[in-house]
Amino acid sequence: MEVIITPAPAIGGLVVDQIGALLDRKPTAVLGLATGSSPLVAYEELAARVNDGRLSLARARGFTLDEYVGLPEGHPCSYRSVIDHELVSRVDFAPGAVMGPDGTAPDLEAACVQYEHEISTAGGVDLQILGIGTDGHIAFNEPGSSLASRTRVKTLTDQTRRDNARFFDGDVDAVPRHCLTQGLGTIMDARHVVLVATGRGKAAAVRQLVEGAVSALWPATILQHHPHVTVVIDEPAAAQLELADYYRDTYAARELAR
């Protein structure tokens, strides 16, 4: 696990550098696209580079991590709408190149199986962008999730619903109680994971992710078993890391060696 501690304004560029390097060697790459506030800086930078001709997603594909259950098609808080607004409509993905789990399906379990099949048929995810919740969840894999889980229906914790109420005009009662989400096992199949976290509110989760014991109580800790994870965080998010100076030195030495 590589940990990069950097000023917040640099995070978007660092993440998109990883995407750009992937697209250079594989223009047909499959990207895993997280929603939420953490990846926004990366999507801003990605859109800027596509629009000025430095990158193209025209041959790439994308899969989103999760979706609320029961929100009607076109609802502004559905993750299909969010990813369209934040990224897809601003770049050159081909029509239909980005898919998400279907939270309106009449048979949700069948929809989960079909989504796993779609990811597999595409060749798997080459680079997965992640955020992390204050309780250590990734995607909607809440504390207690099986570390081997696949795409499935999950019940959201009260903490996650409170955290996400800001997207529903502050009304926690408007936040759905259920979702479809890629499982931890599904996420672990990605060839490269890039996780972004900013702010002191994420510091405890980041500490557990990087230096804590692997535990279903902190689902993101499963990433310690992944062979290629890049964690990009700002100084407030790094505030509780015991080995923060080591991570800074390691990254600085790597940059000097280039």
Side-chain angles (χ1 to χ4, degrees):
M1 181 179 288
E2 179 183 31
V3 180
I4 301 173
I5 303 170
T6 188
I11 287 177
L14 285 169
V15 174
V16 177
D17 286 347
Q18 304 275 346
I19 297 172
L22 169 63
L23 292 170
D24 283 345
R25 61 181 187 271
K26 187 179 180 181
T28 58
V30 177
L31 302 178
L33 304 172
T35 49
S37 57
S38 296
L40 290 180
V41 291
Y43 295 156
E44 287 288 337
E45 179 66 18
L46 186 55
R49 294 193 196 185
V50 168
N51 289 324
D52 67 15
R54 285 180 286 167
L55 288 179
S56 175
L57 295 165
R59 298 173 61 194
R61 295 193 61 183
F63 289 91
T64 59
L65 281 170
D66 40 33
E67 182 58 273
Y68 290 114
V69 168
L71 292 185
E73 184 176 351
H75 190 287
C77 291
S78 75
Y79 285 144
R80 174 76 258 183
S81 296
V82 169
I83 202 67
D84 282 347
H85 174 74
E86 292 176 350
L87 182 64
V88 175
S89 65
R90 304 170 63 194
V91 296
D92 60 346
F93 276 121
V98 176
M99 295 185 62
D102 185 2
T104 66
D107 186 336
L108 293 175
E109 291 186 3
C112 292
V113 172
Q114 179 62 28
Y115 198 56
E116 289 274 340
H117 175 72
E118 295 287 351
I119 295 171
S120 178
T121 300
V125 172
D126 292 297
L127 187 152
Q128 176 66 60
I129 299 171
L130 291 178
I132 186 171
T134 56
D135 59 1
H137 74 260
I138 50 176
F140 273 136
N141 293 284
E142 300 283 22
S145 293
S146 166
L147 300 181
S149 53
R150 310 303 297 188
T151 302
R152 67 212 188 284
V153 182
K154 285 291 289 181
T155 300
L156 301 180
T157 66
D158 289 342
Q159 179 64 57
T160 295
R161 295 178 70 238
R162 286 193 296 269
D163 288 347
N164 287 4
R166 67 189 188 278
F167 302 116
F168 291 80
D169 296 324
D171 182 6
V172 69
D173 291 330
V175 182
R177 292 187 177 276
H178 298 94
C179 66
L180 305 186
T181 183
Q182 287 188 31
L184 295 172
T186 311
I187 292 168
M188 288 288 286
D189 285 344
R191 296 175 184 90
H192 183 192
V193 174
V194 180
L195 185 145
V196 177
T198 58
R200 190 168 294 273
K202 299 295 179 70
V206 167
R207 175 172 55 84
Q208 293 292 335
L209 161 68
V210 177
E211 298 175 346
V214 176
S215 169
L217 290 176
W218 293 90
T221 58
I222 188 60
L223 295 176
Q224 293 180 29
H225 288 301
H226 195 285
H228 192 189
V229 175
T230 305
V231 177
V232 188
I233 54 178
D234 64 3
E235 291 288 349
Q240 296 187 28
L241 292 174
E242 292 185 20
L243 300 178
D245 287 342
Y246 170 73
Y247 307 135
R248 294 186 188 97
D249 291 346
T250 300
Y251 181 64
R254 194 196 77 173
E255 292 301 292
L256 286 173
R258 287 188 171 186

